[in-house]
Amino acid sequence: MPEKCLFCRIVSGDIPADIVSEDEEAIVFRDINPQAPSHLLVIPRRHVGSLDDADEATDLGSLMRLAAEVARDEGIAASGYRVVVNTNENGGQTVHHLHLHILGGRLMTWPPG
Ligand code: AMP
Ligand code: ZN
């Protein structure tokens, strides 16, 4: 685990987070700066820098299924939500530990900024 990775520090409990769900492979917590009424982050426990770094050991399917499950539990599935994976610089990634944003509770616009 990279020593200074913010999300690894949340996984290890060094930094507190509002965790809403967890399993063996992943945790889900509320974004500290929410961009929608519901804004959750799904991250693998194991450090993976970005989607671009995800290898066969990274179970992306399970992360997506967990995102859908959490969206249902959050009550935003029927009205709709968006899953976003910002990747590297042009993608707007600021925390370099793979994460899926789940945004819902309001109408999303397209194209994104
Ligand atoms: P990204 O810009 O796609 O890399 O997303 C990083 C996200 O992490 C942003 O939406 C931040 O608001 C969020 N974030 C940063 N620090 C924390 C924290 N300590 N707890 C929860 N979310 C955080
Ligand atoms: Zn990390």
Side-chain angles (χ1 to χ4, degrees):
M1 154 183 117
E3 215 171 273
K4 291 182 184 161
C5 172
L6 177 67
F7 287 177
C8 282
R9 294 181 70 192
I10 286 178
V11 169
S12 68
D14 271 5
I15 293 179
D18 187 355
I19 295 174
V20 300
S21 179
E22 49 189 321
D23 65 20
E24 274 182 19
E25 300 295 328
I27 67 170
V28 186
F29 53 96
R30 292 190 191 281
D31 197 292
I32 206 168
N33 182 24
Q35 301 301 311
S38 290
H39 187 172
L40 305 169
L41 300 173
V42 179
I43 73 169
R45 288 184 186 276
R46 187 175 67 92
H47 182 84
V48 176
S50 74
L51 185 60
D52 189 46
D53 297 311
D55 57 16
E56 286 178 0
T58 313
D59 191 344
L60 295 169
S62 291
L63 295 174
M64 285 294 267
R65 263 189 300 279
L66 180 58
E69 188 183 306
V70 160
R72 281 194 297 272
D73 291 347
E74 183 78 358
I76 57 173
S79 54
Y81 60 95
R82 186 170 290 175
V83 177
V84 174
V85 185
N86 295 328
T87 304
N88 289 341
E89 191 176 348
N90 276 2
Q93 184 176 6
T94 60
V95 177
H96 295 279
H97 180 131
L98 175 63
H99 51 282
L100 282 60
H101 294 260
I102 305 170
L103 297 143
R106 67 169 171 85
L107 185 64
M108 298 294 150
T109 58
W110 193 264

PDB file of all heavy atoms in Angstrom, residues 43-70:
ATOM      1  N   ILE A  43     -14.387   1.841  -3.950  1.00  0.00           N
ATOM      2  CA  ILE A  43     -12.950   1.636  -4.205  1.00  0.00           C
ATOM      3  C   ILE A  43     -12.537   0.213  -3.855  1.00  0.00           C
ATOM      4  O   ILE A  43     -13.068  -0.390  -2.918  1.00  0.00           O
ATOM      5  CB  ILE A  43     -12.064   2.648  -3.422  1.00  0.00           C
ATOM      6  CG1 ILE A  43     -12.014   2.333  -1.920  1.00  0.00           C
ATOM      7  CG2 ILE A  43     -12.523   4.079  -3.652  1.00  0.00           C
ATOM      8  CD1 ILE A  43     -10.958   3.124  -1.160  1.00  0.00           C
ATOM      9  N   PRO A  44     -11.563  -0.334  -4.609  1.00  0.00           N
ATOM     10  CA  PRO A  44     -11.001  -1.630  -4.204  1.00  0.00           C
ATOM     11  C   PRO A  44     -10.128  -1.418  -2.967  1.00  0.00           C
ATOM     12  O   PRO A  44      -9.493  -0.356  -2.827  1.00  0.00           O
ATOM     13  CB  PRO A  44     -10.153  -2.047  -5.412  1.00  0.00           C
ATOM     14  CG  PRO A  44      -9.770  -0.761  -6.076  1.00  0.00           C
ATOM     15  CD  PRO A  44     -10.908   0.209  -5.807  1.00  0.00           C
ATOM     16  N   ARG A  45     -10.106  -2.398  -2.060  1.00  0.00           N
ATOM     17  CA  ARG A  45      -9.224  -2.284  -0.886  1.00  0.00           C
ATOM     18  C   ARG A  45      -7.756  -2.253  -1.308  1.00  0.00           C
ATOM     19  O   ARG A  45      -6.951  -1.527  -0.728  1.00  0.00           O
ATOM     20  CB  ARG A  45      -9.428  -3.488   0.048  1.00  0.00           C
ATOM     21  CG  ARG A  45     -10.747  -3.464   0.779  1.00  0.00           C
ATOM     22  CD  ARG A  45     -10.811  -4.648   1.743  1.00  0.00           C
ATOM     23  NE  ARG A  45     -12.122  -4.736   2.362  1.00  0.00           N
ATOM     24  CZ  ARG A  45     -12.500  -4.050   3.442  1.00  0.00           C
ATOM     25  NH1 ARG A  45     -11.655  -3.233   4.040  1.00  0.00           N
ATOM     26  NH2 ARG A  45     -13.711  -4.188   3.926  1.00  0.00           N
ATOM     27  N   ARG A  46      -7.448  -3.050  -2.319  1.00  0.00           N
ATOM     28  CA  ARG A  46      -6.068  -3.139  -2.803  1.00  0.00           C
ATOM     29  C   ARG A  46      -5.762  -1.905  -3.649  1.00  0.00           C
ATOM     30  O   ARG A  46      -6.599  -1.470  -4.446  1.00  0.00           O
ATOM     31  CB  ARG A  46      -5.927  -4.408  -3.656  1.00  0.00           C
ATOM     32  CG  ARG A  46      -4.529  -4.745  -4.093  1.00  0.00           C
ATOM     33  CD  ARG A  46      -4.519  -6.085  -4.825  1.00  0.00           C
ATOM     34  NE  ARG A  46      -5.214  -6.038  -6.093  1.00  0.00           N
ATOM     35  CZ  ARG A  46      -4.639  -5.775  -7.264  1.00  0.00           C
ATOM     36  NH1 ARG A  46      -3.345  -5.531  -7.338  1.00  0.00           N
ATOM     37  NH2 ARG A  46      -5.350  -5.761  -8.383  1.00  0.00           N
ATOM     38  N   HIS A  47      -4.583  -1.343  -3.477  1.00  0.00           N
ATOM     39  CA  HIS A  47      -4.243  -0.151  -4.252  1.00  0.00           C
ATOM     40  C   HIS A  47      -4.114  -0.456  -5.741  1.00  0.00           C
ATOM     41  O   HIS A  47      -3.317  -1.303  -6.148  1.00  0.00           O
ATOM     42  CB  HIS A  47      -2.934   0.486  -3.765  1.00  0.00           C
ATOM     43  CG  HIS A  47      -2.606   1.740  -4.526  1.00  0.00           C
ATOM     44  ND1 HIS A  47      -3.144   2.966  -4.191  1.00  0.00           N
ATOM     45  CD2 HIS A  47      -1.857   1.939  -5.634  1.00  0.00           C
ATOM     46  CE1 HIS A  47      -2.726   3.873  -5.061  1.00  0.00           C
ATOM     47  NE2 HIS A  47      -1.944   3.273  -5.954  1.00  0.00           N
ATOM     48  N   VAL A  48      -4.912   0.259  -6.531  1.00  0.00           N
ATOM     49  CA  VAL A  48      -4.812   0.251  -8.001  1.00  0.00           C
ATOM     50  C   VAL A  48      -4.875   1.728  -8.366  1.00  0.00           C
ATOM     51  O   VAL A  48      -5.794   2.437  -7.943  1.00  0.00           O
ATOM     52  CB  VAL A  48      -6.002  -0.502  -8.640  1.00  0.00           C
ATOM     53  CG1 VAL A  48      -5.942  -0.421 -10.156  1.00  0.00           C
ATOM     54  CG2 VAL A  48      -6.060  -1.951  -8.164  1.00  0.00           C
ATOM     55  N   GLY A  49      -3.886   2.225  -9.109  1.00  0.00           N
ATOM     56  CA  GLY A  49      -3.767   3.662  -9.316  1.00  0.00           C
ATOM     57  C   GLY A  49      -4.917   4.285 -10.084  1.00  0.00           C
ATOM     58  O   GLY A  49      -5.362   5.391  -9.782  1.00  0.00           O
ATOM     59  N   SER A  50      -5.399   3.586 -11.095  1.00  0.00           N
ATOM     60  CA  SER A  50      -6.448   4.133 -11.953  1.00  0.00           C
ATOM     61  C   SER A  50      -7.049   3.000 -12.767  1.00  0.00           C
ATOM     62  O   SER A  50      -6.550   1.863 -12.737  1.00  0.00           O
ATOM     63  CB  SER A  50      -5.873   5.182 -12.911  1.00  0.00           C
ATOM     64  OG  SER A  50      -5.132   4.538 -13.937  1.00  0.00           O
ATOM     65  N   LEU A  51      -8.077   3.313 -13.529  1.00  0.00           N
ATOM     66  CA  LEU A  51      -8.645   2.306 -14.437  1.00  0.00           C
ATOM     67  C   LEU A  51      -7.573   1.840 -15.414  1.00  0.00           C
ATOM     68  O   LEU A  51      -7.523   0.672 -15.797  1.00  0.00           O
ATOM     69  CB  LEU A  51      -9.840   2.906 -15.182  1.00  0.00           C
ATOM     70  CG  LEU A  51     -10.629   1.944 -16.081  1.00  0.00           C
ATOM     71  CD1 LEU A  51     -11.206   0.777 -15.285  1.00  0.00           C
ATOM     72  CD2 LEU A  51     -11.729   2.690 -16.818  1.00  0.00           C
ATOM     73  N   ASP A  52      -6.700   2.757 -15.778  1.00  0.00           N
ATOM     74  CA  ASP A  52      -5.620   2.426 -16.714  1.00  0.00           C
ATOM     75  C   ASP A  52      -4.641   1.417 -16.123  1.00  0.00           C
ATOM     76  O   ASP A  52      -3.920   0.748 -16.862  1.00  0.00           O
ATOM     77  CB  ASP A  52      -4.889   3.724 -17.097  1.00  0.00           C
ATOM     78  CG  ASP A  52      -3.901   3.523 -18.223  1.00  0.00           C
ATOM     79  OD1 ASP A  52      -4.260   2.868 -19.220  1.00  0.00           O
ATOM     80  OD2 ASP A  52      -2.767   4.023 -18.103  1.00  0.00           O
ATOM     81  N   ASP A  53      -4.605   1.324 -14.799  1.00  0.00           N
ATOM     82  CA  ASP A  53      -3.693   0.382 -14.125  1.00  0.00           C
ATOM     83  C   ASP A  53      -4.383  -0.920 -13.739  1.00  0.00           C
ATOM     84  O   ASP A  53      -3.740  -1.806 -13.173  1.00  0.00           O
ATOM     85  CB  ASP A  53      -3.130   1.013 -12.838  1.00  0.00           C
ATOM     86  CG  ASP A  53      -2.296   2.246 -13.119  1.00  0.00           C
ATOM     87  OD1 ASP A  53      -1.425   2.167 -14.006  1.00  0.00           O
ATOM     88  OD2 ASP A  53      -2.530   3.285 -12.477  1.00  0.00           O
ATOM     89  N   ALA A  54      -5.690  -1.010 -13.987  1.00  0.00           N
ATOM     90  CA  ALA A  54      -6.429  -2.203 -13.545  1.00  0.00           C
ATOM     91  C   ALA A  54      -5.994  -3.412 -14.369  1.00  0.00           C
ATOM     92  O   ALA A  54      -6.010  -3.362 -15.599  1.00  0.00           O
ATOM     93  CB  ALA A  54      -7.934  -1.967 -13.694  1.00  0.00           C
ATOM     94  N   ASP A  55      -5.590  -4.465 -13.684  1.00  0.00           N
ATOM     95  CA  ASP A  55      -5.168  -5.680 -14.374  1.00  0.00           C
ATOM     96  C   ASP A  55      -6.175  -6.796 -14.104  1.00  0.00           C
ATOM     97  O   ASP A  55      -7.253  -6.542 -13.572  1.00  0.00           O
ATOM     98  CB  ASP A  55      -3.751  -6.073 -13.927  1.00  0.00           C
ATOM     99  CG  ASP A  55      -3.667  -6.267 -12.427  1.00  0.00           C
ATOM    100  OD1 ASP A  55      -4.726  -6.398 -11.772  1.00  0.00           O
ATOM    101  OD2 ASP A  55      -2.547  -6.283 -11.892  1.00  0.00           O
ATOM    102  N   GLU A  56      -5.804  -8.020 -14.454  1.00  0.00           N
ATOM    103  CA  GLU A  56      -6.770  -9.118 -14.293  1.00  0.00           C
ATOM    104  C   GLU A  56      -7.094  -9.397 -12.833  1.00  0.00           C
ATOM    105  O   GLU A  56      -8.129  -9.992 -12.535  1.00  0.00           O
ATOM    106  CB  GLU A  56      -6.249 -10.379 -14.983  1.00  0.00           C
ATOM    107  CG  GLU A  56      -6.359 -10.259 -16.493  1.00  0.00           C
ATOM    108  CD  GLU A  56      -5.810 -11.454 -17.235  1.00  0.00           C
ATOM    109  OE1 GLU A  56      -5.330 -12.391 -16.577  1.00  0.00           O
ATOM    110  OE2 GLU A  56      -5.846 -11.416 -18.472  1.00  0.00           O
ATOM    111  N   ALA A  57      -6.229  -8.965 -11.925  1.00  0.00           N
ATOM    112  CA  ALA A  57      -6.484  -9.174 -10.496  1.00  0.00           C
ATOM    113  C   ALA A  57      -7.492  -8.168  -9.949  1.00  0.00           C
ATOM    114  O   ALA A  57      -7.946  -8.281  -8.810  1.00  0.00           O
ATOM    115  CB  ALA A  57      -5.178  -9.078  -9.723  1.00  0.00           C
ATOM    116  N   THR A  58      -7.827  -7.180 -10.740  1.00  0.00           N
ATOM    117  CA  THR A  58      -8.803  -6.165 -10.308  1.00  0.00           C
ATOM    118  C   THR A  58     -10.166  -6.566 -10.850  1.00  0.00           C
ATOM    119  O   THR A  58     -10.372  -6.561 -12.069  1.00  0.00           O
ATOM    120  CB  THR A  58      -8.424  -4.773 -10.863  1.00  0.00           C
ATOM    121  OG1 THR A  58      -7.039  -4.539 -10.625  1.00  0.00           O
ATOM    122  CG2 THR A  58      -9.255  -3.682 -10.210  1.00  0.00           C
ATOM    123  N   ASP A  59     -11.072  -6.935  -9.956  1.00  0.00           N
ATOM    124  CA  ASP A  59     -12.379  -7.446 -10.399  1.00  0.00           C
ATOM    125  C   ASP A  59     -13.336  -6.271 -10.659  1.00  0.00           C
ATOM    126  O   ASP A  59     -14.141  -5.898  -9.809  1.00  0.00           O
ATOM    127  CB  ASP A  59     -12.935  -8.396  -9.334  1.00  0.00           C
ATOM    128  CG  ASP A  59     -14.139  -9.164  -9.848  1.00  0.00           C
ATOM    129  OD1 ASP A  59     -14.712  -8.758 -10.887  1.00  0.00           O
ATOM    130  OD2 ASP A  59     -14.516 -10.165  -9.198  1.00  0.00           O
ATOM    131  N   LEU A  60     -13.187  -5.725 -11.856  1.00  0.00           N
ATOM    132  CA  LEU A  60     -13.989  -4.540 -12.200  1.00  0.00           C
ATOM    133  C   LEU A  60     -15.473  -4.865 -12.223  1.00  0.00           C
ATOM    134  O   LEU A  60     -16.308  -4.025 -11.863  1.00  0.00           O
ATOM    135  CB  LEU A  60     -13.547  -3.985 -13.554  1.00  0.00           C
ATOM    136  CG  LEU A  60     -12.120  -3.429 -13.593  1.00  0.00           C
ATOM    137  CD1 LEU A  60     -11.696  -3.154 -15.033  1.00  0.00           C
ATOM    138  CD2 LEU A  60     -12.018  -2.156 -12.764  1.00  0.00           C
ATOM    139  N   GLY A  61     -15.818  -6.086 -12.619  1.00  0.00           N
ATOM    140  CA  GLY A  61     -17.228  -6.486 -12.646  1.00  0.00           C
ATOM    141  C   GLY A  61     -17.839  -6.426 -11.253  1.00  0.00           C
ATOM    142  O   GLY A  61     -18.953  -5.931 -11.072  1.00  0.00           O
ATOM    143  N   SER A  62     -17.100  -6.910 -10.264  1.00  0.00           N
ATOM    144  CA  SER A  62     -17.618  -6.887  -8.886  1.00  0.00           C
ATOM    145  C   SER A  62     -17.774  -5.455  -8.386  1.00  0.00           C
ATOM    146  O   SER A  62     -18.726  -5.148  -7.656  1.00  0.00           O
ATOM    147  CB  SER A  62     -16.681  -7.646  -7.950  1.00  0.00           C
ATOM    148  OG  SER A  62     -16.741  -9.007  -8.252  1.00  0.00           O
ATOM    149  N   LEU A  63     -16.849  -4.581  -8.762  1.00  0.00           N
ATOM    150  CA  LEU A  63     -16.963  -3.185  -8.336  1.00  0.00           C
ATOM    151  C   LEU A  63     -18.222  -2.555  -8.940  1.00  0.00           C
ATOM    152  O   LEU A  63     -18.951  -1.821  -8.265  1.00  0.00           O
ATOM    153  CB  LEU A  63     -15.716  -2.387  -8.748  1.00  0.00           C
ATOM    154  CG  LEU A  63     -14.391  -2.788  -8.079  1.00  0.00           C
ATOM    155  CD1 LEU A  63     -13.229  -2.012  -8.691  1.00  0.00           C
ATOM    156  CD2 LEU A  63     -14.430  -2.555  -6.569  1.00  0.00           C
ATOM    157  N   MET A  64     -18.495  -2.865 -10.199  1.00  0.00           N
ATOM    158  CA  MET A  64     -19.700  -2.328 -10.852  1.00  0.00           C
ATOM    159  C   MET A  64     -20.971  -2.896 -10.225  1.00  0.00           C
ATOM    160  O   MET A  64     -21.948  -2.168 -10.008  1.00  0.00           O
ATOM    161  CB  MET A  64     -19.680  -2.647 -12.357  1.00  0.00           C
ATOM    162  CG  MET A  64     -18.728  -1.797 -13.154  1.00  0.00           C
ATOM    163  SD  MET A  64     -19.213  -0.062 -13.188  1.00  0.00           S
ATOM    164  CE  MET A  64     -20.161  -0.019 -14.694  1.00  0.00           C
ATOM    165  N   ARG A  65     -20.957  -4.192  -9.936  1.00  0.00           N
ATOM    166  CA  ARG A  65     -22.136  -4.800  -9.297  1.00  0.00           C
ATOM    167  C   ARG A  65     -22.371  -4.191  -7.925  1.00  0.00           C
ATOM    168  O   ARG A  65     -23.507  -3.937  -7.527  1.00  0.00           O
ATOM    169  CB  ARG A  65     -21.975  -6.323  -9.181  1.00  0.00           C
ATOM    170  CG  ARG A  65     -22.656  -7.086 -10.321  1.00  0.00           C
ATOM    171  CD  ARG A  65     -22.675  -8.582 -10.059  1.00  0.00           C
ATOM    172  NE  ARG A  65     -21.323  -9.097  -9.928  1.00  0.00           N
ATOM    173  CZ  ARG A  65     -20.541  -9.382 -10.960  1.00  0.00           C
ATOM    174  NH1 ARG A  65     -20.968  -9.225 -12.191  1.00  0.00           N
ATOM    175  NH2 ARG A  65     -19.325  -9.847 -10.761  1.00  0.00           N
ATOM    176  N   LEU A  66     -21.278  -3.955  -7.189  1.00  0.00           N
ATOM    177  CA  LEU A  66     -21.403  -3.330  -5.871  1.00  0.00           C
ATOM    178  C   LEU A  66     -21.974  -1.918  -6.019  1.00  0.00           C
ATOM    179  O   LEU A  66     -22.821  -1.494  -5.218  1.00  0.00           O
ATOM    180  CB  LEU A  66     -20.038  -3.306  -5.177  1.00  0.00           C
ATOM    181  CG  LEU A  66     -19.976  -2.690  -3.783  1.00  0.00           C
ATOM    182  CD1 LEU A  66     -20.921  -3.413  -2.814  1.00  0.00           C
ATOM    183  CD2 LEU A  66     -18.533  -2.739  -3.240  1.00  0.00           C
ATOM    184  N   ALA A  67     -21.540  -1.203  -7.053  1.00  0.00           N
ATOM    185  CA  ALA A  67     -22.077   0.148  -7.298  1.00  0.00           C
ATOM    186  C   ALA A  67     -23.594   0.083  -7.502  1.00  0.00           C
ATOM    187  O   ALA A  67     -24.348   0.890  -6.929  1.00  0.00           O
ATOM    188  CB  ALA A  67     -21.387   0.779  -8.510  1.00  0.00           C
ATOM    189  N   ALA A  68     -24.047  -0.874  -8.284  1.00  0.00           N
ATOM    190  CA  ALA A  68     -25.487  -1.004  -8.554  1.00  0.00           C
ATOM    191  C   ALA A  68     -26.250  -1.366  -7.271  1.00  0.00           C
ATOM    192  O   ALA A  68     -27.335  -0.828  -7.005  1.00  0.00           O
ATOM    193  CB  ALA A  68     -25.721  -2.052  -9.633  1.00  0.00           C
ATOM    194  N   GLU A  69     -25.656  -2.245  -6.478  1.00  0.00           N
ATOM    195  CA  GLU A  69     -26.298  -2.664  -5.226  1.00  0.00           C
ATOM    196  C   GLU A  69     -26.430  -1.482  -4.258  1.00  0.00           C
ATOM    197  O   GLU A  69     -27.486  -1.248  -3.661  1.00  0.00           O
ATOM    198  CB  GLU A  69     -25.416  -3.764  -4.620  1.00  0.00           C
ATOM    199  CG  GLU A  69     -25.968  -4.472  -3.425  1.00  0.00           C
ATOM    200  CD  GLU A  69     -24.921  -5.472  -2.904  1.00  0.00           C
ATOM    201  OE1 GLU A  69     -24.446  -6.324  -3.695  1.00  0.00           O
ATOM    202  OE2 GLU A  69     -24.565  -5.374  -1.716  1.00  0.00           O
ATOM    203  N   VAL A  70     -25.355  -0.732  -4.142  1.00  0.00           N
ATOM    204  CA  VAL A  70     -25.349   0.415  -3.235  1.00  0.00           C
ATOM    205  C   VAL A  70     -26.331   1.496  -3.717  1.00  0.00           C
ATOM    206  O   VAL A  70     -27.009   2.132  -2.907  1.00  0.00           O
ATOM    207  CB  VAL A  70     -23.907   0.970  -3.123  1.00  0.00           C
ATOM    208  CG1 VAL A  70     -23.886   2.380  -2.614  1.00  0.00           C
ATOM    209  CG2 VAL A  70     -23.078   0.075  -2.226  1.00  0.00           C
TER     210      VAL A  70
END
